[in-house]
Amino acid sequence: MFTIKLLLFIVPLVISSRIDQDNSSIDSVSPEPNSRFAMLDDVKILANGLLQLGHGLKDFVHKTKGQINDIFQKLNIFDQSFYDLSLQTREIKEEEKELRRTTYKLQVKNEEVKNMSLELNSKLESLLEEKILLQQKVKYLEEQLTNLILHQPEAPEHPEVTSLKTFVEKQDNSIKDLLQTVEEQYKQLNQQHSQIKEIENQLRRTSIQEPTEIHLSSKPRAPRTTPFLQLNEVRNVKHDGIPADCTTIYNRGERTSGMYAIRPSNSQVFHVYCDVISGTPWTLIQHRTDGSQNFNETWENYKYGFGRLDGEFWLGLEKIYSIVKKSNYVLRIELEDWKDNKHYIEYSFYLGNQETNYTLHLVEITGNVPNAIPENKDLVFSTWDHKAKGYFNCPESYSGGWWWHDECGENNLNGKYNKPRAKSKPERRRGLSWKSQNGRLYSIKSTKMLIHPTDSESFE
């Protein structure tokens, strides 16, 4: 553009100078060679300007062409993304329509089953009334038959009595069959109800799910057949009227979540947070929500606990060991990512004492998130100021105390709490992480670690 402006400025000057020279040639006679040289100079200047203008236009065309190519590439990428998004949206809509059709069919079947159940109930009531009447008649006839036998011992049985007995037996069999049919209908009705509820839940999840959202796999996996780690079956009992754990508190009638005082066997009294989940009492041993509590603590603090039970906290290794040392317990880990997707996984586990550095041994039971913690291995607890012999110094690069094996891993739920989109990979590695066996690393917003006895009966 600058070249064009320069030429637009130079060309008029050249033309005007040429006109002035022509006019001066009329007034005064000058030598012919000088005028020729002057014309050649003007032509050269004009040619040079045109050459620069051509180069400028060529560069401008190349730049414009490159920009247009970039715009077309971006438009192609956008079109492809939009097309993929529309396909995903269409698939989700079709699945939603199919679920709605299935729900409608199940509702219709449910109504039919209800009507059939009502009809069977009414028929059953009428049959029961008929049975009572028949039993009264049979009783009367038996009395008459007894009198006849007493007075006429050799007389044959009256055919009416025989037919009535046969009829009553048939009615009894019919009633039994009807009762069995009613029970089967009730079972089918319950199954229909459960299917309808499940489909309604799927519809709710489908209606709020974003097509482009990528989250942790939510497919439930079948529970493993691996048995619980067996310990001596010595149940916790209460001491001095103080319950031994959250299960005892729940069985006493306290059915709400909150802070309670407990005293496991051979232990001091301390407070815990009992979390009631779907009618099951769990003892909360770790909770993280917003990073308000520093978890890069010393060994002593991890041993005895830190934080607030109504916020972020770690219950303490010694307290956890006092609860689980004489019973079989389940460890439940609940995770919530930055898209508010909630997931869980449960393990049967064994926890060692301080002499073993509170060694943890896990066996997965069930869950809806890929497993990320090593199973059937001795995981040793370590902090930055207490490192087990023969193990890496993981807490120095992975902040916070945690259970480690023979190599450092990404799954440190006691790590440094970072907001999403950390600036660098080492910083991202320090955050709350859950790395599945397929190698993908997920950023976690909040965590819960809970324990519950495998035998949920009363411990009182």
Side-chain angles (χ1 to χ4, degrees), residues 202-233:
Q202 290 179 359
L203 282 172
R204 291 193 201 99
R205 289 195 297 268
T206 304
S207 62
I208 62 174
Q209 182 181 10
E210 296 180 359
T212 59
E213 181 179 345
I214 301 174
H215 51 77
L216 299 177
S217 174
S218 60
K219 294 182 179 179
R221 291 175 290 167
R224 297 190 181 183
T225 57
T226 307
F228 290 106
L229 300 173
Q230 296 297 323
L231 299 173
N232 294 329
E233 294 293 335

PDB file of all heavy atoms in Angstrom, residues 202-233:
ATOM      1  N   GLN A 202     -32.516 -42.822  33.092  1.00  0.00           N
ATOM      2  CA  GLN A 202     -31.732 -42.659  31.865  1.00  0.00           C
ATOM      3  C   GLN A 202     -32.200 -41.447  31.070  1.00  0.00           C
ATOM      4  O   GLN A 202     -31.401 -40.707  30.495  1.00  0.00           O
ATOM      5  CB  GLN A 202     -31.840 -43.919  31.007  1.00  0.00           C
ATOM      6  CG  GLN A 202     -31.121 -45.130  31.599  1.00  0.00           C
ATOM      7  CD  GLN A 202     -31.279 -46.349  30.733  1.00  0.00           C
ATOM      8  OE1 GLN A 202     -31.933 -46.311  29.694  1.00  0.00           O
ATOM      9  NE2 GLN A 202     -30.697 -47.460  31.160  1.00  0.00           N
ATOM     10  N   LEU A 203     -33.522 -41.241  31.044  1.00  0.00           N
ATOM     11  CA  LEU A 203     -34.052 -40.081  30.336  1.00  0.00           C
ATOM     12  C   LEU A 203     -33.586 -38.782  30.974  1.00  0.00           C
ATOM     13  O   LEU A 203     -33.241 -37.821  30.293  1.00  0.00           O
ATOM     14  CB  LEU A 203     -35.583 -40.136  30.316  1.00  0.00           C
ATOM     15  CG  LEU A 203     -36.214 -41.102  29.302  1.00  0.00           C
ATOM     16  CD1 LEU A 203     -37.705 -41.195  29.514  1.00  0.00           C
ATOM     17  CD2 LEU A 203     -35.913 -40.649  27.891  1.00  0.00           C
ATOM     18  N   ARG A 204     -33.559 -38.751  32.313  1.00  0.00           N
ATOM     19  CA  ARG A 204     -33.090 -37.532  32.979  1.00  0.00           C
ATOM     20  C   ARG A 204     -31.631 -37.268  32.660  1.00  0.00           C
ATOM     21  O   ARG A 204     -31.238 -36.138  32.386  1.00  0.00           O
ATOM     22  CB  ARG A 204     -33.270 -37.665  34.506  1.00  0.00           C
ATOM     23  CG  ARG A 204     -34.719 -37.657  34.942  1.00  0.00           C
ATOM     24  CD  ARG A 204     -34.834 -37.478  36.451  1.00  0.00           C
ATOM     25  NE  ARG A 204     -36.098 -37.944  36.959  1.00  0.00           N
ATOM     26  CZ  ARG A 204     -36.298 -39.110  37.517  1.00  0.00           C
ATOM     27  NH1 ARG A 204     -35.295 -39.948  37.667  1.00  0.00           N
ATOM     28  NH2 ARG A 204     -37.487 -39.466  37.965  1.00  0.00           N
ATOM     29  N   ARG A 205     -30.817 -38.335  32.700  1.00  0.00           N
ATOM     30  CA  ARG A 205     -29.397 -38.153  32.395  1.00  0.00           C
ATOM     31  C   ARG A 205     -29.198 -37.724  30.941  1.00  0.00           C
ATOM     32  O   ARG A 205     -28.361 -36.893  30.626  1.00  0.00           O
ATOM     33  CB  ARG A 205     -28.621 -39.440  32.659  1.00  0.00           C
ATOM     34  CG  ARG A 205     -28.482 -39.763  34.136  1.00  0.00           C
ATOM     35  CD  ARG A 205     -27.407 -40.815  34.332  1.00  0.00           C
ATOM     36  NE  ARG A 205     -27.755 -42.076  33.693  1.00  0.00           N
ATOM     37  CZ  ARG A 205     -28.393 -43.061  34.304  1.00  0.00           C
ATOM     38  NH1 ARG A 205     -28.748 -42.936  35.571  1.00  0.00           N
ATOM     39  NH2 ARG A 205     -28.660 -44.191  33.682  1.00  0.00           N
ATOM     40  N   THR A 206     -30.000 -38.286  30.022  1.00  0.00           N
ATOM     41  CA  THR A 206     -29.853 -37.947  28.605  1.00  0.00           C
ATOM     42  C   THR A 206     -30.253 -36.509  28.345  1.00  0.00           C
ATOM     43  O   THR A 206     -29.637 -35.821  27.545  1.00  0.00           O
ATOM     44  CB  THR A 206     -30.725 -38.882  27.750  1.00  0.00           C
ATOM     45  OG1 THR A 206     -30.358 -40.228  28.048  1.00  0.00           O
ATOM     46  CG2 THR A 206     -30.507 -38.610  26.278  1.00  0.00           C
ATOM     47  N   SER A 207     -31.270 -36.014  29.034  1.00  0.00           N
ATOM     48  CA  SER A 207     -31.763 -34.672  28.776  1.00  0.00           C
ATOM     49  C   SER A 207     -30.795 -33.602  29.221  1.00  0.00           C
ATOM     50  O   SER A 207     -30.795 -32.495  28.684  1.00  0.00           O
ATOM     51  CB  SER A 207     -33.116 -34.475  29.473  1.00  0.00           C
ATOM     52  OG  SER A 207     -32.963 -34.617  30.871  1.00  0.00           O
ATOM     53  N   ILE A 208     -29.930 -33.902  30.214  1.00  0.00           N
ATOM     54  CA  ILE A 208     -29.004 -32.884  30.710  1.00  0.00           C
ATOM     55  C   ILE A 208     -27.592 -33.104  30.223  1.00  0.00           C
ATOM     56  O   ILE A 208     -26.715 -32.295  30.461  1.00  0.00           O
ATOM     57  CB  ILE A 208     -29.007 -32.852  32.246  1.00  0.00           C
ATOM     58  CG1 ILE A 208     -28.523 -34.196  32.810  1.00  0.00           C
ATOM     59  CG2 ILE A 208     -30.374 -32.508  32.781  1.00  0.00           C
ATOM     60  CD1 ILE A 208     -28.369 -34.201  34.322  1.00  0.00           C
ATOM     61  N   GLN A 209     -27.336 -34.180  29.492  1.00  0.00           N
ATOM     62  CA  GLN A 209     -25.975 -34.484  29.050  1.00  0.00           C
ATOM     63  C   GLN A 209     -25.613 -33.638  27.840  1.00  0.00           C
ATOM     64  O   GLN A 209     -26.377 -33.506  26.909  1.00  0.00           O
ATOM     65  CB  GLN A 209     -25.846 -35.961  28.704  1.00  0.00           C
ATOM     66  CG  GLN A 209     -24.433 -36.355  28.285  1.00  0.00           C
ATOM     67  CD  GLN A 209     -24.360 -37.812  27.930  1.00  0.00           C
ATOM     68  OE1 GLN A 209     -25.406 -38.457  27.826  1.00  0.00           O
ATOM     69  NE2 GLN A 209     -23.180 -38.318  27.745  1.00  0.00           N
ATOM     70  N   GLU A 210     -24.444 -33.014  27.812  1.00  0.00           N
ATOM     71  CA  GLU A 210     -23.971 -32.256  26.665  1.00  0.00           C
ATOM     72  C   GLU A 210     -23.343 -33.205  25.662  1.00  0.00           C
ATOM     73  O   GLU A 210     -22.571 -34.077  26.030  1.00  0.00           O
ATOM     74  CB  GLU A 210     -22.929 -31.227  27.110  1.00  0.00           C
ATOM     75  CG  GLU A 210     -23.493 -30.179  28.024  1.00  0.00           C
ATOM     76  CD  GLU A 210     -22.422 -29.187  28.435  1.00  0.00           C
ATOM     77  OE1 GLU A 210     -21.278 -29.367  28.001  1.00  0.00           O
ATOM     78  OE2 GLU A 210     -22.756 -28.264  29.167  1.00  0.00           O
ATOM     79  N   PRO A 211     -23.634 -33.032  24.370  1.00  0.00           N
ATOM     80  CA  PRO A 211     -23.112 -33.975  23.368  1.00  0.00           C
ATOM     81  C   PRO A 211     -21.605 -33.982  23.298  1.00  0.00           C
ATOM     82  O   PRO A 211     -21.003 -34.996  23.035  1.00  0.00           O
ATOM     83  CB  PRO A 211     -23.729 -33.458  22.053  1.00  0.00           C
ATOM     84  CG  PRO A 211     -24.904 -32.647  22.461  1.00  0.00           C
ATOM     85  CD  PRO A 211     -24.545 -32.049  23.791  1.00  0.00           C
ATOM     86  N   THR A 212     -20.955 -32.821  23.517  1.00  0.00           N
ATOM     87  CA  THR A 212     -19.506 -32.754  23.371  1.00  0.00           C
ATOM     88  C   THR A 212     -18.776 -33.021  24.655  1.00  0.00           C
ATOM     89  O   THR A 212     -17.568 -32.858  24.716  1.00  0.00           O
ATOM     90  CB  THR A 212     -19.118 -31.362  22.855  1.00  0.00           C
ATOM     91  OG1 THR A 212     -19.591 -30.380  23.780  1.00  0.00           O
ATOM     92  CG2 THR A 212     -19.706 -31.107  21.485  1.00  0.00           C
ATOM     93  N   GLU A 213     -19.479 -33.375  25.721  1.00  0.00           N
ATOM     94  CA  GLU A 213     -18.832 -33.557  27.022  1.00  0.00           C
ATOM     95  C   GLU A 213     -18.055 -34.847  27.049  1.00  0.00           C
ATOM     96  O   GLU A 213     -18.528 -35.880  26.601  1.00  0.00           O
ATOM     97  CB  GLU A 213     -19.906 -33.554  28.110  1.00  0.00           C
ATOM     98  CG  GLU A 213     -19.321 -33.726  29.509  1.00  0.00           C
ATOM     99  CD  GLU A 213     -20.429 -33.702  30.546  1.00  0.00           C
ATOM    100  OE1 GLU A 213     -21.534 -33.280  30.215  1.00  0.00           O
ATOM    101  OE2 GLU A 213     -20.162 -34.118  31.660  1.00  0.00           O
ATOM    102  N   ILE A 214     -16.817 -34.771  27.572  1.00  0.00           N
ATOM    103  CA  ILE A 214     -15.976 -35.946  27.745  1.00  0.00           C
ATOM    104  C   ILE A 214     -15.770 -36.126  29.233  1.00  0.00           C
ATOM    105  O   ILE A 214     -15.252 -35.242  29.899  1.00  0.00           O
ATOM    106  CB  ILE A 214     -14.618 -35.766  27.043  1.00  0.00           C
ATOM    107  CG1 ILE A 214     -14.845 -35.525  25.552  1.00  0.00           C
ATOM    108  CG2 ILE A 214     -13.733 -36.979  27.271  1.00  0.00           C
ATOM    109  CD1 ILE A 214     -13.575 -35.188  24.807  1.00  0.00           C
ATOM    110  N   HIS A 215     -16.171 -37.250  29.757  1.00  0.00           N
ATOM    111  CA  HIS A 215     -16.055 -37.468  31.194  1.00  0.00           C
ATOM    112  C   HIS A 215     -15.633 -38.895  31.456  1.00  0.00           C
ATOM    113  O   HIS A 215     -15.465 -39.697  30.550  1.00  0.00           O
ATOM    114  CB  HIS A 215     -17.360 -37.138  31.919  1.00  0.00           C
ATOM    115  CG  HIS A 215     -18.554 -37.811  31.310  1.00  0.00           C
ATOM    116  ND1 HIS A 215     -18.835 -39.140  31.511  1.00  0.00           N
ATOM    117  CD2 HIS A 215     -19.510 -37.326  30.482  1.00  0.00           C
ATOM    118  CE1 HIS A 215     -19.924 -39.464  30.848  1.00  0.00           C
ATOM    119  NE2 HIS A 215     -20.353 -38.394  30.222  1.00  0.00           N
ATOM    120  N   LEU A 216     -15.503 -39.223  32.718  1.00  0.00           N
ATOM    121  CA  LEU A 216     -15.093 -40.566  33.103  1.00  0.00           C
ATOM    122  C   LEU A 216     -16.135 -41.583  32.700  1.00  0.00           C
ATOM    123  O   LEU A 216     -17.323 -41.284  32.657  1.00  0.00           O
ATOM    124  CB  LEU A 216     -14.902 -40.631  34.632  1.00  0.00           C
ATOM    125  CG  LEU A 216     -13.842 -39.698  35.207  1.00  0.00           C
ATOM    126  CD1 LEU A 216     -13.836 -39.829  36.710  1.00  0.00           C
ATOM    127  CD2 LEU A 216     -12.485 -40.000  34.649  1.00  0.00           C
ATOM    128  N   SER A 217     -15.726 -42.758  32.386  1.00  0.00           N
ATOM    129  CA  SER A 217     -16.653 -43.813  31.981  1.00  0.00           C
ATOM    130  C   SER A 217     -17.605 -44.127  33.109  1.00  0.00           C
ATOM    131  O   SER A 217     -17.217 -44.358  34.238  1.00  0.00           O
ATOM    132  CB  SER A 217     -15.857 -45.072  31.620  1.00  0.00           C
ATOM    133  OG  SER A 217     -16.717 -46.124  31.370  1.00  0.00           O
ATOM    134  N   SER A 218     -18.915 -44.107  32.792  1.00  0.00           N
ATOM    135  CA  SER A 218     -19.928 -44.339  33.810  1.00  0.00           C
ATOM    136  C   SER A 218     -20.622 -45.671  33.670  1.00  0.00           C
ATOM    137  O   SER A 218     -21.700 -45.875  34.196  1.00  0.00           O
ATOM    138  CB  SER A 218     -20.983 -43.228  33.751  1.00  0.00           C
ATOM    139  OG  SER A 218     -21.580 -43.217  32.480  1.00  0.00           O
ATOM    140  N   LYS A 219     -20.037 -46.600  32.909  1.00  0.00           N
ATOM    141  CA  LYS A 219     -20.663 -47.901  32.763  1.00  0.00           C
ATOM    142  C   LYS A 219     -20.394 -48.733  33.999  1.00  0.00           C
ATOM    143  O   LYS A 219     -19.249 -48.980  34.357  1.00  0.00           O
ATOM    144  CB  LYS A 219     -20.116 -48.626  31.534  1.00  0.00           C
ATOM    145  CG  LYS A 219     -20.489 -47.936  30.220  1.00  0.00           C
ATOM    146  CD  LYS A 219     -19.960 -48.723  29.059  1.00  0.00           C
ATOM    147  CE  LYS A 219     -20.337 -48.054  27.739  1.00  0.00           C
ATOM    148  NZ  LYS A 219     -19.812 -48.795  26.589  1.00  0.00           N
ATOM    149  N   PRO A 220     -21.428 -49.182  34.690  1.00  0.00           N
ATOM    150  CA  PRO A 220     -21.195 -49.990  35.877  1.00  0.00           C
ATOM    151  C   PRO A 220     -20.618 -51.339  35.506  1.00  0.00           C
ATOM    152  O   PRO A 220     -20.996 -51.946  34.515  1.00  0.00           O
ATOM    153  CB  PRO A 220     -22.597 -50.132  36.489  1.00  0.00           C
ATOM    154  CG  PRO A 220     -23.525 -49.916  35.352  1.00  0.00           C
ATOM    155  CD  PRO A 220     -22.843 -48.956  34.427  1.00  0.00           C
ATOM    156  N   ARG A 221     -19.648 -51.786  36.303  1.00  0.00           N
ATOM    157  CA  ARG A 221     -19.045 -53.079  36.069  1.00  0.00           C
ATOM    158  C   ARG A 221     -19.558 -54.089  37.070  1.00  0.00           C
ATOM    159  O   ARG A 221     -19.864 -53.749  38.211  1.00  0.00           O
ATOM    160  CB  ARG A 221     -17.514 -52.969  36.180  1.00  0.00           C
ATOM    161  CG  ARG A 221     -16.918 -52.161  35.044  1.00  0.00           C
ATOM    162  CD  ARG A 221     -15.452 -51.990  35.259  1.00  0.00           C
ATOM    163  NE  ARG A 221     -15.214 -51.100  36.375  1.00  0.00           N
ATOM    164  CZ  ARG A 221     -14.032 -50.967  36.950  1.00  0.00           C
ATOM    165  NH1 ARG A 221     -13.008 -51.651  36.530  1.00  0.00           N
ATOM    166  NH2 ARG A 221     -13.876 -50.146  37.958  1.00  0.00           N
ATOM    167  N   ALA A 222     -19.629 -55.328  36.640  1.00  0.00           N
ATOM    168  CA  ALA A 222     -20.142 -56.383  37.514  1.00  0.00           C
ATOM    169  C   ALA A 222     -19.186 -56.593  38.679  1.00  0.00           C
ATOM    170  O   ALA A 222     -17.971 -56.510  38.528  1.00  0.00           O
ATOM    171  CB  ALA A 222     -20.294 -57.684  36.739  1.00  0.00           C
ATOM    172  N   PRO A 223     -19.711 -56.823  39.884  1.00  0.00           N
ATOM    173  CA  PRO A 223     -18.842 -57.057  41.037  1.00  0.00           C
ATOM    174  C   PRO A 223     -17.982 -58.281  40.822  1.00  0.00           C
ATOM    175  O   PRO A 223     -18.393 -59.267  40.233  1.00  0.00           O
ATOM    176  CB  PRO A 223     -19.844 -57.263  42.183  1.00  0.00           C
ATOM    177  CG  PRO A 223     -21.111 -56.663  41.721  1.00  0.00           C
ATOM    178  CD  PRO A 223     -21.109 -56.817  40.226  1.00  0.00           C
ATOM    179  N   ARG A 224     -16.737 -58.205  41.319  1.00  0.00           N
ATOM    180  CA  ARG A 224     -15.847 -59.332  41.195  1.00  0.00           C
ATOM    181  C   ARG A 224     -16.215 -60.401  42.216  1.00  0.00           C
ATOM    182  O   ARG A 224     -16.838 -60.136  43.236  1.00  0.00           O
ATOM    183  CB  ARG A 224     -14.400 -58.878  41.436  1.00  0.00           C
ATOM    184  CG  ARG A 224     -13.925 -57.861  40.393  1.00  0.00           C
ATOM    185  CD  ARG A 224     -12.451 -57.645  40.536  1.00  0.00           C
ATOM    186  NE  ARG A 224     -12.009 -56.659  39.547  1.00  0.00           N
ATOM    187  CZ  ARG A 224     -10.751 -56.309  39.404  1.00  0.00           C
ATOM    188  NH1 ARG A 224      -9.815 -56.857  40.139  1.00  0.00           N
ATOM    189  NH2 ARG A 224     -10.408 -55.419  38.495  1.00  0.00           N
ATOM    190  N   THR A 225     -15.792 -61.609  41.896  1.00  0.00           N
ATOM    191  CA  THR A 225     -16.082 -62.730  42.780  1.00  0.00           C
ATOM    192  C   THR A 225     -14.989 -62.942  43.815  1.00  0.00           C
ATOM    193  O   THR A 225     -15.016 -63.897  44.565  1.00  0.00           O
ATOM    194  CB  THR A 225     -16.237 -64.013  41.959  1.00  0.00           C
ATOM    195  OG1 THR A 225     -15.038 -64.225  41.200  1.00  0.00           O
ATOM    196  CG2 THR A 225     -17.421 -63.892  41.008  1.00  0.00           C
ATOM    197  N   THR A 226     -13.980 -62.035  43.858  1.00  0.00           N
ATOM    198  CA  THR A 226     -12.906 -62.170  44.822  1.00  0.00           C
ATOM    199  C   THR A 226     -13.460 -62.002  46.226  1.00  0.00           C
ATOM    200  O   THR A 226     -14.137 -61.013  46.526  1.00  0.00           O
ATOM    201  CB  THR A 226     -11.842 -61.091  44.571  1.00  0.00           C
ATOM    202  OG1 THR A 226     -11.458 -61.156  43.209  1.00  0.00           O
ATOM    203  CG2 THR A 226     -10.641 -61.303  45.473  1.00  0.00           C
ATOM    204  N   PRO A 227     -13.208 -62.901  47.140  1.00  0.00           N
ATOM    205  CA  PRO A 227     -13.758 -62.785  48.489  1.00  0.00           C
ATOM    206  C   PRO A 227     -13.079 -61.665  49.250  1.00  0.00           C
ATOM    207  O   PRO A 227     -12.008 -61.192  48.893  1.00  0.00           O
ATOM    208  CB  PRO A 227     -13.445 -64.156  49.112  1.00  0.00           C
ATOM    209  CG  PRO A 227     -12.243 -64.630  48.374  1.00  0.00           C
ATOM    210  CD  PRO A 227     -12.391 -64.111  46.975  1.00  0.00           C
ATOM    211  N   PHE A 228     -13.715 -61.232  50.359  1.00  0.00           N
ATOM    212  CA  PHE A 228     -13.131 -60.226  51.208  1.00  0.00           C
ATOM    213  C   PHE A 228     -11.876 -60.770  51.867  1.00  0.00           C
ATOM    214  O   PHE A 228     -11.735 -61.970  52.099  1.00  0.00           O
ATOM    215  CB  PHE A 228     -14.127 -59.807  52.307  1.00  0.00           C
ATOM    216  CG  PHE A 228     -15.277 -59.030  51.769  1.00  0.00           C
ATOM    217  CD1 PHE A 228     -16.533 -59.608  51.650  1.00  0.00           C
ATOM    218  CD2 PHE A 228     -15.102 -57.714  51.373  1.00  0.00           C
ATOM    219  CE1 PHE A 228     -17.593 -58.887  51.156  1.00  0.00           C
ATOM    220  CE2 PHE A 228     -16.164 -56.982  50.882  1.00  0.00           C
ATOM    221  CZ  PHE A 228     -17.399 -57.570  50.780  1.00  0.00           C
ATOM    222  N   LEU A 229     -10.960 -59.858  52.193  1.00  0.00           N
ATOM    223  CA  LEU A 229      -9.785 -60.264  52.932  1.00  0.00           C
ATOM    224  C   LEU A 229     -10.220 -60.687  54.331  1.00  0.00           C
ATOM    225  O   LEU A 229     -10.797 -59.887  55.074  1.00  0.00           O
ATOM    226  CB  LEU A 229      -8.789 -59.103  53.010  1.00  0.00           C
ATOM    227  CG  LEU A 229      -8.303 -58.596  51.645  1.00  0.00           C
ATOM    228  CD1 LEU A 229      -7.463 -57.342  51.835  1.00  0.00           C
ATOM    229  CD2 LEU A 229      -7.513 -59.665  50.950  1.00  0.00           C
ATOM    230  N   GLN A 230      -9.980 -61.911  54.690  1.00  0.00           N
ATOM    231  CA  GLN A 230     -10.510 -62.465  55.928  1.00  0.00           C
ATOM    232  C   GLN A 230      -9.646 -62.066  57.121  1.00  0.00           C
ATOM    233  O   GLN A 230      -8.427 -62.138  57.087  1.00  0.00           O
ATOM    234  CB  GLN A 230     -10.584 -64.002  55.843  1.00  0.00           C
ATOM    235  CG  GLN A 230     -11.545 -64.487  54.787  1.00  0.00           C
ATOM    236  CD  GLN A 230     -12.972 -64.072  55.085  1.00  0.00           C
ATOM    237  OE1 GLN A 230     -13.385 -64.050  56.240  1.00  0.00           O
ATOM    238  NE2 GLN A 230     -13.713 -63.739  54.051  1.00  0.00           N
ATOM    239  N   LEU A 231     -10.305 -61.615  58.183  1.00  0.00           N
ATOM    240  CA  LEU A 231      -9.656 -61.330  59.452  1.00  0.00           C
ATOM    241  C   LEU A 231     -10.362 -62.137  60.521  1.00  0.00           C
ATOM    242  O   LEU A 231     -11.373 -62.790  60.284  1.00  0.00           O
ATOM    243  CB  LEU A 231      -9.759 -59.832  59.794  1.00  0.00           C
ATOM    244  CG  LEU A 231      -9.108 -58.871  58.792  1.00  0.00           C
ATOM    245  CD1 LEU A 231      -9.456 -57.449  59.194  1.00  0.00           C
ATOM    246  CD2 LEU A 231      -7.607 -59.051  58.774  1.00  0.00           C
ATOM    247  N   ASN A 232      -9.830 -62.086  61.720  1.00  0.00           N
ATOM    248  CA  ASN A 232     -10.526 -62.718  62.831  1.00  0.00           C
ATOM    249  C   ASN A 232     -11.828 -61.980  63.076  1.00  0.00           C
ATOM    250  O   ASN A 232     -11.843 -60.752  63.220  1.00  0.00           O
ATOM    251  CB  ASN A 232      -9.655 -62.667  64.097  1.00  0.00           C
ATOM    252  CG  ASN A 232      -8.401 -63.501  63.940  1.00  0.00           C
ATOM    253  OD1 ASN A 232      -8.431 -64.506  63.230  1.00  0.00           O
ATOM    254  ND2 ASN A 232      -7.316 -63.088  64.571  1.00  0.00           N
ATOM    255  N   GLU A 233     -12.922 -62.696  63.132  1.00  0.00           N
ATOM    256  CA  GLU A 233     -14.234 -62.074  63.269  1.00  0.00           C
ATOM    257  C   GLU A 233     -14.459 -61.645  64.712  1.00  0.00           C
ATOM    258  O   GLU A 233     -15.177 -62.278  65.467  1.00  0.00           O
ATOM    259  CB  GLU A 233     -15.338 -63.045  62.819  1.00  0.00           C
ATOM    260  CG  GLU A 233     -15.297 -63.360  61.328  1.00  0.00           C
ATOM    261  CD  GLU A 233     -15.636 -62.138  60.518  1.00  0.00           C
ATOM    262  OE1 GLU A 233     -16.330 -61.259  61.038  1.00  0.00           O
ATOM    263  OE2 GLU A 233     -15.195 -62.055  59.366  1.00  0.00           O
TER     264      GLU A 233
END
